[in-house]
Amino acid sequence: MDRRLESLETSLKAYMHEKFNSLKKNLRSVNEFMIDFLSYEGVLRREASELLRREMSRVLSGNPITDVLTEEERIRLKELIEKDELTLEEAD
């Protein structure tokens, strides 16, 4: 019984890791598009877009030392990403 539970736990961890990495990849892609678009439209200066890219990489690195999101913030971020439309407050 213990072996089956350990196997299930290992499988579940691998699945969650895969899904979280997919979420990070998609989040990075969307953010990079928005940064590029806002830069192209002249809303962001080149320096600001570079700063945003570095900050996005830092936040999405998943490094526990630099990870600034709490578990509740990660869950909320996931909820917002999955929504079709955001209010201005939610986007902020």
Side-chain angles (χ1 to χ4, degrees):
M1 180 73 164
D2 286 341
R3 225 176 231 174
R4 287 188 354 197
L5 287 176
E6 288 175 10
S7 176
L8 181 61
E9 180 183 9
T10 301
S11 296
L12 184 58
K13 283 181 180 180
Y15 176 79
M16 290 174 62
H17 182 71
E18 176 187 335
K19 292 301 179 183
F20 184 68
N21 283 338
S22 176
L23 175 64
K24 286 191 329 184
K25 180 182 174 186
N26 291 332
L27 181 60
R28 180 183 305 270
S29 178
V30 167
N31 282 326
E32 286 179 352
F33 168 76
M34 290 304 298
I35 291 168
D36 289 343
F37 178 74
L38 293 173
S39 296
Y40 175 79
E41 291 293 322
V43 175
L44 292 175
R45 295 184 324 270
R46 184 177 56 94
E47 296 85 5
S49 68
E50 291 171 1
L51 173 71
L52 286 172
R53 285 180 192 281
R54 284 192 308 271
E55 185 63 14
M56 180 180 57
S57 291
R58 185 183 70 81
V59 168
L60 294 177
S61 70
N63 186 339
I65 294 171
T66 60
D67 195 356
V68 297
L69 299 177
T70 65
E71 185 62 27
E72 293 81 21
E73 290 170 328
R74 280 190 202 100
I75 291 169
R76 180 66 177 142
L77 180 59
K78 183 177 184 293
E79 290 171 355
L80 292 173
I81 290 170
E82 291 175 349
K83 285 182 80 174
D84 290 332
E85 293 184 24
L86 297 176
T87 66
L88 187 55
E89 291 81 19
E90 289 172 330
D92 186 38

